[in-house]
């Protein structure tokens, strides 16, 4: 390993971003190619969800700054024109040439998205960490290992391209917590514990334009990391700062990292690491790619990935809610909807990418990428959105009632059914069993048709279709639960006693829009 | 509900009206394994069919059903054995009947005849009629040596019939024992 003197690995020239072409070929391209040839690229092909979203965000910040600095103020009409005619190449090339020196991955003054001061700072001068420190999927320090058996003392080396992608994903999604270098603990990255959403186009240029944050005079000083001064140690110690806007959020150096190149500078084995430019979150300026659910206490809760819970159950958080009482969809979806409306795409379904990483405090839990195709009216028409929200809530409520009945049934198949510990145990058995997955996978099959019918304005048919889907799902979930409880006489008795209640629950679905109280079901 | 079972029960009903001696023989047959008491042969064997062997579950079901009918010759369509028992347990407010029923549900084919004889004697004491046609059809499946799914389905139905009748609260629901069960799908 060396602390090199020559700048190497310029991200504008080196291939480091995996992209997929329309013929299915996947290969790495440089930042310049990704932006200039975006109309010939289908999408990014990065496989790690946090890195994928982080790469899109870097490209969005680049495109936004290129258009703003070279083109001056622009409006949605311009965006629609670029969408139809292609993004102009000249401003992008001019911008990249202007900032070329800031895109060296290894540089003696200002390495890309890193903090050079770590080479000199007493806290980090002698302290090298393995590259897994900045890889969200990697184990390092005292994290428990399952599949990753990397040794901190003898780290492997990875390509500089991969190290850079890991770095970007890490800076966006790192959870807050102890750092113990320069500062004891640090704030979370902009997307920590978030399922980020984006609208997708057929080609990369469309995807970028759909999610591009609008020009605004207020955020003219909203600069990405490469246009800001190289942070010194004092900046790392400073109090948390609000983001100046999307460009700052998309490229915030939320941890100070310095990749240390090997003697062959195309490989990285070690990094220097410290607290970064802490991000202060403000409820009034939410992340453009995060959806929020308004909790009962009025607090906005970010949409994340929950165990065993498919993204479609969070659909109400993706569709607009003018009342603001239930949820707040991601701003990028509104920008994408505006553009689709302007370009006259009313019938095509809108593919939405949901990707990210869920964490519990500093513990990373799971990451996921999902894609949901939404009809445009759901994103553009509040009434249609409200209808979908009501239907999905109906499904959730029904499951809640079914779960109560099934848990009661499981408890009464156990010894001492009335004891509260038995009831708690029954709920655990139920949650580890097939009930929820049987119910929601059955409901999910009816979802596309529900959305199509609501989008077409055929609410009655949608309602009937949904009610029969819910019945089928209840039936499936009941069958699965019954099968799991077995056929001992005690289980048979419990099932026999539960069936009239299940039948009543099913009949309640035939009475549209009546509130069946839980007491009624449990009576 | 099979026609075969119906004609057999019609035949037994005829015997009950005209041939009390036959019923006595059939009653005695309950002390033996089903189909192992020669004096019962003249009344049952012609319904077995030449293609069935001695251990055929349907043959056993016919002999066992005939014995039970002879013990309590009161047939009423639609009142399954389980629901009759449930009503009886409800009327007598008896938990011992429920325990007997639970024992019946967990019975293997070998132990079933004895338990059924006790249960039918209970029903006879209170003059509760039973749908013997349904009972016969169910026994034909239950007595299969590896009953598997079929036996489980029948046990589930019996349990439902019993508790529908037994639980006063649920007796008001309109699910009648003889309707095909919307909540029971064959596996």
């Amino acid at each position: 390993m060396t602390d090199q003197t020559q700048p190497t690995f310029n991200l504008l020239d080196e291939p480091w971003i995996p992209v997929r072409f329309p013929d299915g070929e996947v290969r790495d391209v440089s930042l310049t190619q990704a932006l200039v040839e975006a109309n010939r690229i289908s999408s990014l092909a990065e496989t790690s969800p946090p890195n994928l979203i982080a790469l899109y965000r870097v490209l969005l910040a680049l495109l936004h700054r290129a258009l703003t600095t070279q083109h001056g103020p622009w409006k949605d009409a311009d965006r629609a024109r670029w969408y139809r005619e292609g993004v102009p190449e000249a401003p992008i090339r001019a911008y990249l040439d202007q900032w070329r020196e800031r895109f060296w991955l290894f540089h003696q003054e200002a390495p890309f998205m890193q903090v050079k001061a770590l080479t000199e700072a007493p806290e980090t001068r002698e302290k090298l960490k393995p590259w897994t420190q900045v890889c969200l999927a990697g184990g390092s320090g005292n994290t428990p290992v399952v599949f990753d058996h990397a040794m901190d003392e003898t780290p492997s080396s990875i390509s500089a391209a991969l190290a850079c992608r890991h770095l970007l994903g890490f800076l966006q999604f790192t959870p807050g917590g102890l750092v113990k270098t320069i500062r004891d603990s640090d704030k979370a990255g902009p997307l920590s514990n978030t399922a980020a959403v984006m609208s997708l186009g057929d080609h990369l240029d469309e995807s970028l334009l759909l999610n591009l944050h609008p020009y605004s005079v207020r955020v003219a000083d909203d600069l990405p990391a490469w246009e800001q001064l190289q942070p010194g140690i004092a900046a790392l110690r400073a109090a948390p700062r609000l983001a100046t806007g999307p460009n700052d959020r998309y490229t915030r150096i939320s941890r100070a990292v310095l990749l240390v190149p090997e003697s062959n500078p195309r490989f990285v084995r070690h990094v220097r690491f410290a607290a970064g430019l802490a991000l202060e979150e403000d409820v009034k300026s939410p992340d453009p790619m995060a959806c929020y659910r308004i909790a009962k206490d009025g607090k906005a809760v970010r949409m994340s990935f929950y165990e065993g819970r498919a993204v479609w159950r969070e659909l109400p958080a993706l569709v607009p809610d003018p009342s603001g009482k239930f949820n707040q969809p991601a701003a990028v979806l509104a920008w994408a909807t505006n553009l689709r409306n302007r370009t006259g795409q009313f019938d095509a379904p809108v593919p939405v990418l949901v990707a990210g990483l869920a964490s519990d405090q500093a513990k990373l839990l799971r990451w996921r990428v999902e894609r949901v195709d939404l009809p445009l009216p759901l994103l553009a028409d509040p009434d249609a959105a409200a209808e979908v929200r009501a239907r999905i809530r109906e499904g959730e409520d029904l499951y809640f009632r079914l779960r109560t009945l099934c848990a009661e049934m499981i408890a009464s198949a156990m010894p001492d059914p009335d004891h509260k510990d038995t009831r708690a145990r029954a709920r655990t058995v139920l949650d580890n069993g097939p009930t929820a997955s049987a119910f929601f996978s059955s409901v999910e099959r009816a979802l596309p048709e529900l959305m199509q019918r609501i989008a077409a304005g055929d609410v009655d048919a949608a309602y009937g279709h949904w009610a029969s889907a819910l019945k089928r799902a209840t039936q499936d979930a009941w069958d699965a639960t019954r099968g799991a409880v077995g056929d001992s006489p005690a289980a048979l008795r419990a099932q026999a006693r539960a069936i009239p209640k299940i039948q009543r629950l099913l009949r309640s679905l035939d009475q549209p829009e009546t509130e069946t109280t839980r007491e009624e079901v449990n009576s | 509900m099979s026609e075969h079972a119906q004609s057999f029960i019609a035949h037994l009903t005829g015997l009950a009206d005209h041939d009390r001696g036959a019923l006595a023989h059939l009653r005695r047959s309950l002390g033996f394994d089903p189909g192992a008491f020669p004096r019962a042969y003249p009344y049952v064997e012609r319904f077995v069919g030449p293609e069935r062997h001695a251990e055929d579950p349907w043959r056993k079901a016919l002999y066992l059903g005939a014995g039970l009918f002879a013990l309590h010759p009161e047939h009423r369509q639609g009142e399954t054995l389980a629901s009759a028992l449930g009503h009886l347990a409800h009327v007598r407010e008896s938990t011992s009947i429920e325990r007997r029923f639970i024992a019946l549900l967990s019975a293997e084919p070998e132990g079933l005849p004895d338990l059924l004889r006790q249960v039918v004697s209970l029903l006879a004491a209170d003059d509760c009629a039973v749908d013997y046609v349904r009972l016969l059809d169910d026994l034909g499946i239950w007595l299969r040596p590896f009953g598997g799914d079929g036996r489980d389905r029948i046990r589930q139905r019996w349990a439902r019939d019993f508790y529908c009748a037994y639980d006063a609260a649920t007796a008001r629901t309109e699910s009648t024992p003889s309707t095909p069960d919307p909540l029971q799908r064959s596996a």
Side-chain angles (χ1 to χ4, degrees), chain A residues 471-472 475-476 478-479 482 486-490 492-497 499-500 502-504 506-507, chain B residues 98 102-103 105-106 152 155-156 159-161 163-164 166-167 169-170 173-175 181-185:
Chain A
K471 266 189 175 172
R472 208 173 37 244
Q475 179 74 64
D476 288 343
W478 170 250
D479 283 349
R482 217 177 48 186
D487 58 0
S488 67
L492 288 176
R493 177 174 62 181
Q495 290 167 28
R497 291 200 139 139
I499 279 177
I502 298 279
Q503 284 176 327
R504 230 173 306 162
L506 284 171
R507 276 201 303 276
Chain B
E98 188 192 0
I102 293 285
L105 283 186
S106 43
D152 286 344
R155 292 166 68 219
Q156 282 171 4
R160 289 196 53 203
D161 288 356
Y163 285 102
C164 266
Y166 181 54
D167 293 346
T170 59
T173 63
E174 61 264 36
S175 79
D181 179 0
L183 280 159
Q184 280 217 346
R185 296 178 185 173

Side-chain angles (χ1 to χ4, degrees), chain A residues 163-323:
Chain A
C164 182
R165 300 202 303 267
H166 280 325
L167 171 68
L168 296 180
F170 177 80
L171 294 180
Q172 287 292 306
F173 282 88
T174 180
L178 290 178
V179 176
K180 291 209 177 274
T181 315
I182 305 233
R183 239 183 328 169
D184 245 4
S185 68
D186 204 356
K187 292 277 200 185
L191 283 176
S192 122
N193 192 23
T194 307
V197 303
M198 279 182 57
S199 182
L200 290 179
D202 289 340
H203 291 93
L204 181 58
D205 60 339
E206 292 177 10
S207 298
L208 292 176
L209 284 169
L210 280 168
N211 297 282
L212 194 61
H213 35 295
Y215 173 87
S216 129
V217 180
R218 275 196 323 252
V219 293
D221 54 355
D222 170 30
L223 301 177
W226 51 86
E227 290 191 43
Q228 296 178 26
L229 288 174
Q230 174 67 205
I233 298 298
L236 304 183
R237 291 190 205 279
R241 269 189 313 116
L242 289 170
T244 49
N247 292 330
D248 181 11
R249 282 194 81 88
Y250 289 179
T251 61
R252 175 60 76 99
I253 302 178
S254 57
R255 293 286 181 278
V257 178
L258 186 61
L259 302 174
V260 181
E262 293 289 275
S263 49
N264 171 354
R266 304 193 67 79
F267 289 93
V268 172
R269 193 184 296 270
H270 289 99
V271 302
R272 295 179 201 281
F273 182 81
L277 305 176
L279 175 72
E280 182 68 50
E281 286 290 5
D282 175 12
V283 284
K284 292 191 182 63
S285 60
D287 193 284
M289 291 189 185
C291 295
Y292 295 81
R293 196 164 39 79
I294 309 297
K296 285 193 177 69
D297 56 2
K299 271 203 187 128
V301 182
R302 269 192 199 199
M303 183 172 111
S304 181
F305 293 114
Y306 303 98
E307 191 172 6
R309 192 181 164 98
V311 157
W312 68 264
R313 289 172 64 186
E314 306 287 352
L315 265 186
L318 295 179
V319 292
D321 172 23
S323 72

Side-chain angles (χ1 to χ4, degrees), chain B residues 53-71:
Chain B
H53 58 81
E55 292 298 308
D56 189 286
W58 181 241
R59 177 173 182 269
K60 286 185 169 187
L62 287 176
Y63 276 100
L64 178 55
L68 296 172
F69 181 88
L71 198 60

Side-chain angles (χ1 to χ4, degrees), chain A residues 71-109:
Chain A
H71 184 282
W74 48 274
K75 292 196 171 69
D76 257 4
D78 298 308
R79 200 159 59 110
R81 195 180 72 248
W82 293 324
Y83 189 91
R84 279 192 302 266
E85 301 166 7
V87 183
E89 194 177 314
I92 294 173
R93 286 203 183 272
Y95 179 79
L96 294 180
D97 285 345
Q98 181 187 350
W99 293 99
R100 185 176 183 76
E101 282 307 298
R102 289 302 187 85
F103 285 89
W104 294 100
L105 192 61
F106 307 113
H107 189 276
Q108 57 277 43
E109 296 299 329

